[in-house]
Structures are given as C-alpha cells and as structure tokens.
C-alpha cells in the first residue's frame, strides 16, 4: 500500500520509491518539504536536546523521541522517551507551525531518533526522522600507553579518545620537553 505521509503501516516500495512527491527515508515515505534535525550527534546525560523542524505542508503534528532501532513503520507512542508539540510545550493550541525549534529535556541514556508525527492519532504517520543521536555520560579526552617506560627502539602502542572529533596531532616527545 502506498503512503500519503509516511503512514507507519506502509513503508517504501521495494525500489525505494514512494507515491507522488514523497521521498523514501529510513523505510518510510516522507514529505519532501518536512525535516527534523537535532543540533548535534551526542549529548551528555541531562543535556537539553535541541530539535529544528520544517513542516511545509502545515499539518497538525508533534515530535517524539523513540529508540534508534524502533521500526518507523510500527511506532508505539507509549514507548516514546519524550515528546513535544511544535510550540515547544505539551500544552499549546498551535500545533501546525511550519518551522521552528523545540527543546527536549527528559531523554535518558541511549541511541535515539526524533520523529515528526502528523495527526497524533493511531496509526501514527511519520513525515520526517532525524539521524541517530546518542545521550550518555561525558566522554573525556585521554591518551595512554600500556607501560610508563620503553627501551630505545621499542614500539609504543598509544590509545586515545577524542570525543569531539576535533583535528588533533599525536606526538612522542622526551619527558623534559615543554
């Protein structure tokens, strides 16, 4: 069955196509004019997740956080981690904004995706999905070697963690070097 707005019981066709001007995203037919994006890929536990959205059709919708492995064709709202109307609240009259930003504050540790869901009644219709993002304890920059001293000519295995993914240089210098 073809889908109008990413109806959860109808995914993309076998050739990854959809009806009309819809596009296939994560196995679901989605509106080409709708998007939902998180501000970054990783968040520290308790940090607010900022979500930007565009809902060009102007349909009534909300946004909900589901586990990254959730099947977008069979979303169960009772398993959502957090949700919001587009006005950035669970209590508001305007549920048809065409663009904006919301902040989600009650997301536990794990891998998640935010779904833009129209009509907010079963069966849920997802029109846009974020990339997977991670919430967890802070990762610290670190560098280490298995031993504290090496003989000349020894191979020195170095382990490092660069959680921000920034460009870094690793170098080996004498202990007395500044």
């Amino acid at each position: 069955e073809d889908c109008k707005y990413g109806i959860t019981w109808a995914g993309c066709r076998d050739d990854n196509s959809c009806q009309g001007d819809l596009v296939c995203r994560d196995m679901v037919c989605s509106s080409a004019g709708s998007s939902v994006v998180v501000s970054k890929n990783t968040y520290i536990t308790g940090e607010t997740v900022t979500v930007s959205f565009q809902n060009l059709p102007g349909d009534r919708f909300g946004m909900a956080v589901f586990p990254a492995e959730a099947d977008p064709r069979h979303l169960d709202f009772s398993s959502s981690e957090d949700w919001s109307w587009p006005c950035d609240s669970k209590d508001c009259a305007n549920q048809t904004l065409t663009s904006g930003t919301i902040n989600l504050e009650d997301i536990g540790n794990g891998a998640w995706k935010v779904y833009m869901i129209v009509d907010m009644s079963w069966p849920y219709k997802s029109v846009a999905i974020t990339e997977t993002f991670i919430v967890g304890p802070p990762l610290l920059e670190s560098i280490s070697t298995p031993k504290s001293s090496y003989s000349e000519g020894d191979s020195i295995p170095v382990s490092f963690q660069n959680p921000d993914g920034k460009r870094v240089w690793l170098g080996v210098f004498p202990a007395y070097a500044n």
Side-chain angles (χ1 to χ4, degrees), residues 1-8 10-12 18-20 22 28-30:
E1 179 178 340
D2 289 332
C3 58
K4 180 179 178 193
Y5 289 112
I7 299 171
T8 55
C12 303
C18 294
Q19 179 182 7
L22 302 177
V28 173
C29 293
S30 301

Side-chain angles (χ1 to χ4, degrees), residues 47-159:
E47 185 177 0
T48 298
V49 175
T50 302
V51 182
S52 299
F53 65 88
Q54 280 196 313
N55 175 35
L56 295 184
D59 296 319
R60 178 179 179 255
F61 74 101
M63 285 167 279
V65 179
F66 288 93
E69 69 275 2
D71 184 340
R73 298 167 298 174
H74 304 286
L75 297 174
D76 176 4
F77 206 78
S78 66
S79 69
S80 70
E81 181 73 0
D82 195 11
W83 70 278
S84 177
W85 294 116
C87 64
D88 199 20
S89 171
K90 290 179 176 67
D91 300 308
C92 64
N94 191 354
Q95 300 163 6
T96 61
L97 297 173
T98 56
S99 66
T101 302
I102 65 166
N103 295 295
L104 300 167
E105 298 176 352
D106 297 322
I107 302 175
N109 291 347
W112 306 98
K113 289 184 180 184
V114 177
Y115 291 79
M116 180 185 290
I117 300 171
V118 296
D119 197 20
M120 296 306 289
S121 60
W122 182 258
Y124 301 116
K125 302 171 188 175
S126 174
V127 296
I129 306 167
T130 65
E131 296 293 324
T132 298
F133 63 96
I134 307 297
V135 176
L139 298 175
L140 303 175
E141 293 177 353
S142 65
I143 185 167
S144 63
T145 59
K147 301 187 313 185
S148 60
S149 64
Y150 293 86
S151 298
E152 187 174 332
D154 282 352
S155 231
I156 304 173
V158 177
S159 298

